[in-house]
Amino acid sequence: DKEEDGMMLLEAMKTIGFWGLCISLIFISISGLTLIQNISPHLQDMGYSVTFSANVVALSMGALAVGNLLLGYFLARFGLRKATFIACLSILFGSIAIIYSKYYMALAVVIVGVGIGCSYYTVSNPVIARKMYGMKDYSSIYGFISATHSLGGIIAPILVGYLYDISGSYISSFKIMLIFTIISIVIFNFVLPKEKMQ
């Protein structure tokens, strides 16, 4: 019976892969949320006007709406593993680009990076729960994964605020997010199931 396929939450919690997944979800959400939440203050620090900074944020939000659809397509077309790496690389390039935000071209990369990368936060969790752990205890596992992913939203502003107080800039935060994203990519590489060739 398809309903009975998969694992219970307590079974999943006994595996290293489950905790690796949770750690990588926390790291990638910290990275993505740091990127999206600090575009405007960072651009103002860089000397851009409030209006210009707000417009870049508005474009990023528009890109996020498109990114949700696009990432959903990637998940369906390429599978969980490839779509996850696309999202992670989008956050990685977005975080690199925002460090060089004095160049207009870099801002375009930031907008695209936010659009595709930060969509992972909302689109991926149900797919991860279903694909990796089946429908047997879907709601519990989905809830746990979503809560874990949400931890990034609690940690990110605290971490960024602390680093800003020390350095007087958002650049140090974005650089650390690069490390977090790379760690996520490495862990995802081990824990996400390899898709069968079509």
Side-chain angles (χ1 to χ4, degrees):
D1 182 14
K2 274 308 256 186
E3 275 309 297
E4 295 306 310
D5 285 352
M7 297 172 83
M8 298 297 288
L9 175 59
L10 287 175
E11 289 176 78
M13 289 171 83
K14 290 175 185 169
T15 65
I16 294 171
F18 183 77
W19 293 108
L21 175 70
C22 289
I23 289 165
S24 48
L25 287 174
I26 291 170
F27 276 166
I28 202 63
S29 70
I30 292 171
S31 299
L33 289 166
T34 295
L35 179 61
I36 199 168
Q37 289 170 353
N38 297 290
I39 293 170
S40 181
H42 172 66
L43 292 184
Q44 288 173 57
D45 275 5
M46 296 291 287
Y48 290 107
S49 70
V50 175
T51 306
F52 182 86
S53 303
N55 285 336
V56 174
V57 172
L59 286 169
S60 299
M61 293 299 121
L64 197 57
V66 176
N68 276 315
L69 298 172
L70 203 54
L71 195 62
Y73 169 76
F74 291 153
L75 282 161
R77 178 76 180 82
F78 304 122
L80 177 60
R81 189 180 175 83
K82 285 180 184 153
T84 296
F85 290 134
I86 290 168
C88 289
L89 289 172
S90 298
I91 290 173
L92 189 71
F93 286 122
S95 298
I96 293 168
I98 201 162
I99 294 169
Y100 296 98
S101 51
K102 61 182 178 181
Y103 304 108
Y104 284 126
M105 186 58 73
L107 294 177
V109 178
V110 171
I111 290 163
V112 174
V114 165
I116 298 172
C118 296
S119 296
Y120 194 75
Y121 192 74
T122 50
V123 177
S124 66
N125 293 337
V127 180
I128 291 169
R130 190 180 73 249
K131 285 254 186 187
M132 292 182 67
Y133 300 103
M135 298 305 292
K136 190 174 184 180
D137 197 15
Y138 171 79
S139 56
S140 298
I141 290 174
Y142 170 59
F144 192 92
I145 288 170
S146 296
T148 304
H149 216 157
S150 298
L151 275 177
I154 298 165
I155 297 166
I158 297 167
L159 185 59
V160 173
Y162 175 72
L163 291 169
Y164 190 87
D165 287 343
I166 292 172
S167 65
S169 165
Y170 291 99
I171 301 285
S172 56
S173 295
F174 297 134
K175 286 180 177 174
I176 286 174
M177 295 317 127
L178 293 176
I179 297 166
F180 279 8
T181 306
I182 290 165
I183 291 169
S184 287
I185 291 169
V186 171
I187 299 173
F188 277 137
N189 186 50
F190 287 106
V191 301
L192 291 179
K194 290 180 170 63
E195 271 107 18
K196 297 173 187 69
M197 297 299 286
Q198 296 294 322

